[in-house]
Amino acid sequence: MSSYEYTGLTEDQKKVIRGYRDALQCSEDFVRPHFEKAVRYYKLFAGEMPPELDSTFSKCMLWLGMSIVERELPQTVSGILSRKNWFRLSAKDPMMEPHAHNAEKWLNYQIDERQKFASRIIPTIQACHIFGTGYRFYNHRYKTVQQTMTTYDEMAGVPYNIKDNTYDKSQVLIAGHDVSFFNVFPSPVGTFVNDYDDTDDNIVDYVIIMAYPPRSYIENEKAFDQNQVKALLDHKGQCGHDPTEEWKQRIAGTQSGWQSFTMPDWVRRLRNGELMLEDRFRLAYYYQNRPKKLTIVAEDSFILYDGPMPIPHIPLAKFTSTYNLDNWYGIGMIEPCEDLILSMIMNFNHRLDYLAGTLHPPTYVPADLLEELGGDKSVFDPQPYGVIPYNYSRYGNNISNIVYHDRNTDISSQAFMEEDKMSIFMQEITGHPSLFKGQTGPSTGDIGATGIVSLISQGTARTMFRSANVENSGIVESLKLTLAFGDKFINEDQTIPDREGADGWPWTRIPRKAITDKFGVQLDMLGSNQAAEAFKTMIATAPMVLNNPVVKNQVEAMRQLLDKSGWNKIETLLSQPPTGMQQQPPMSAMGNQGQNPSQASGKGMMMGQPGGAPSATNDARSMMNRSTVEANTGRPVAAGNIEV
């Protein structure tokens, strides 16, 4: 950390600098073990071979880390990607209740159209599942847009002198973007970033966020201390050590891409004048919760801003999928099974090494024989249909005794743990389906349809719980921060696109008073996922219910199934057809297409039976004489006699 202090600082400013440096030092010590683990997890995710593979010959890397994260990702973002209007706002004040609908429209427009939330949130969710914690930073900026106003004079009700006047107008943009895991330095105490309702004391004392904006941003920011800006721009070289540099260098071999919260080597080359590009500087955004205060320090030495926060909250949304008690950092998908991933990779490579040693064993040959064959060692590698000439008069028929292949000896199958057993362990740890599909083993068996449904429910429960944590942490915070920025910086009514506007007009005017943070946020994503899982369970159990003599009211069973499937006019479908309309004979009574049952051949009469066209009837009949496992109890029961 820098010990440089600009001589133009006042005593109060020097005190602020020392306080910032002390806070950063405490945070560096706190985050070090978590950053150490994060580097390992990222390398597993990115497919970099772990050092353990150096002891193997095959060195075959299995991307299990990425597979685990990518399996979890669709479930986490399904509520955002699959539908619109996935959140609701509830007024905290009775006077704001009439504006809740307009506030929802404005927030939907900001999230979907302005911030492109559905696509740009993916890196943050990935970081959440890799490291256990992901971040999204919010700010505001102004954009100048040209608008046209038509003016005219009027005489006797007739307009004349009509003119279109163009003028510049400043527009507020609320932006959110992903923040590198290694750019956030929280205080050692606290779990949450903000307390939006003044009910939770378990919030951090401060958070330091590193950013690397260009020179133009620093020069044009009016809120910055211009004396300090000039001193920063006039100073040559870097004043201090970047605390994120160590960690980013360690993953530089696997990390790709550039973002405003990352500083690779070319940024330092810019500062040294080696590249003809715009300079960038390291700014530390030092947010304090007690009291509410923001200090922006450049290069650990120049105080560009020291005053109140733009909004009454730290503009950082923290995403957590699995909490680690009340710690700041959560637990990702890779951490609980890191050792198992390495074991599966090593087990696979050891098996390949054993196979390679059997098919292509080490070979010992006399030096004179090798010299006689021109020094080509490849001729001694066993190959099908290989013909190798040699000096028969010198070696005779005992060439097999002269050339020795040291093949691997047979070993017990217990020497290698089977992949399906490791897959079961992985499933238990992550709650995911087996990573190796199609494997069989002594642990597999026919557990029946009900047992399968029970396993599906158990597997999805943990995934849905992790999704709920992500929704209620970072996603809810993102929505609340967007409302807070709108409340502070938007000062006039807003006109936004609205395809459901009144009278077919695809625009809606949002009153200024509706854009406020005086609303609570509730998400509907988890409810939709629960409904989808319930429908999957209904589909899985349908063959046991339809045409089952135990289920007396087949019409009601079909009605519920059609209702959940989204069919229309269900009562019409289930009612008797009008008089005179010919009914379609059932499939089991039909022969070839277009034949009456009386004309069908004997073979055609069996189309509804095994070997013919599948039907729910056949599925139900196949259950009648089979045993299965009853959900929640584990009792063996007859599959055809399950009460539903």
Side-chain angles (χ1 to χ4, degrees), residues 52 91 108-109 147 150 170 185 201 205 237 299 314 325 328 369 428 478 518 548 604 610 625:
E52 288 81 359
N108 263 304
Y109 170 70
Q147 293 192 350
T150 302
S170 181
F185 294 81
D201 293 331
D205 295 333
E299 303 294 342
I314 297 177
L325 300 179
W328 171 272
L369 177 59
E428 290 295 325
S478 297
K518 295 182 175 63
N548 190 329
N625 296 320

Side-chain angles (χ1 to χ4, degrees), residues 330-573:
I331 299 175
M333 298 299 300
I334 298 179
E335 181 173 0
C337 50
E338 180 187 13
D339 292 340
L340 184 57
I341 291 175
L342 295 176
S343 298
M344 296 176 76
I345 295 173
M346 293 297 294
N347 183 70
F348 181 73
N349 277 269
H350 284 317
R351 295 185 69 145
L352 292 181
D353 288 356
Y354 177 79
L355 184 61
T358 301
L359 298 178
H360 303 278
T363 303
Y364 300 88
V365 299
D368 55 349
L369 177 59
L370 180 62
E371 183 179 355
E372 180 179 325
L373 296 176
D376 185 6
K377 299 178 182 179
S378 62
V379 300
F380 296 100
D381 189 19
Q383 298 180 10
Y385 312 109
V387 178
I388 306 173
Y390 70 99
N391 191 340
Y392 179 79
S393 61
R394 183 173 182 180
Y395 298 102
N397 293 327
N398 61 343
I399 188 68
S400 60
N401 296 328
I402 297 174
V403 178
Y404 173 66
H405 296 287
D406 187 13
R407 298 185 183 276
N408 289 334
T409 58
D410 293 336
I411 60 176
S412 170
S413 60
Q414 297 297 320
F416 301 110
M417 180 173 287
E418 295 297 330
E419 282 89 345
D420 63 332
K421 294 182 180 179
M422 289 190 174
S423 299
I424 293 175
F425 295 150
M426 187 74 76
Q427 182 180 3
E428 290 295 325
I429 294 172
T430 64
H432 286 167
S434 174
L435 295 176
F436 291 91
K437 297 180 180 180
Q439 297 287 340
T440 58
S443 61
T444 60
D446 184 7
I447 61 174
T450 306
I452 293 174
V453 172
S454 179
L455 289 178
I456 293 174
S457 300
Q458 295 176 13
T460 56
R462 295 176 59 185
T463 299
M464 292 175 62
F465 182 70
R466 289 190 290 261
S467 299
N469 287 337
V470 172
E471 295 168 11
N472 293 320
S473 57
I475 294 180
V476 167
E477 276 196 291
S478 297
L479 300 178
K480 289 182 177 180
L481 290 174
T482 301
L483 286 173
F485 272 102
D487 189 6
K488 180 65 178 291
F489 295 103
I490 292 181
N491 301 315
E492 59 183 6
D493 295 351
Q494 301 288 297
T495 301
I496 63 172
D498 183 10
R499 299 307 173 190
E500 299 177 356
D503 301 325
W505 179 247
W507 295 87
T508 293
R509 192 169 186 83
I510 306 297
R512 164 63 187 90
K513 63 176 64 176
I515 306 173
T516 176
D517 59 354
K518 295 182 175 63
F519 292 100
V521 179
Q522 292 85 35
L523 301 185
D524 292 336
M525 293 188 295
L526 184 59
S528 64
N529 291 337
Q530 289 175 336
E533 294 302 327
F535 178 65
K536 291 178 183 178
T537 304
M538 177 177 289
I539 291 297
T541 57
M544 297 184 296
V545 175
L546 299 180
N547 294 331
N548 190 329
V550 177
V551 181
K552 304 301 183 183
N553 195 340
Q554 289 290 308
V555 174
E556 179 59 28
M558 184 62 73
R559 178 182 289 108
Q560 294 185 20
L561 183 60
L562 293 176
D563 179 62
K564 297 298 183 181
S565 302
W567 286 71
N568 298 322
K569 300 181 179 180
I570 297 176
E571 295 302 328
T572 303
L573 293 174

Side-chain angles (χ1 to χ4, degrees), residues 8 28 55 77-78 89 148 163 203 235 247 259 281 404 424 460 507 530 540 569 608 618-619:
E28 283 192 75
S55 63
V77 300
S78 61
L89 298 182
T148 302
K163 296 180 180 179
I203 57 175
H235 184 78
W247 312 105
Q259 52 175 313
F281 298 85
Y404 173 66
I424 293 175
T460 56
W507 295 87
Q530 289 175 336
K569 300 181 179 180
N618 297 328
D619 291 338

Side-chain angles (χ1 to χ4, degrees), residues 587-592 595 597 600-609:
M587 284 294 297
S588 60
M590 290 184 64
N592 297 328
Q595 290 182 323
S601 63
K603 181 178 180 180
M605 292 289 289
M606 299 301 294
M607 285 187 64
Q609 299 300 323

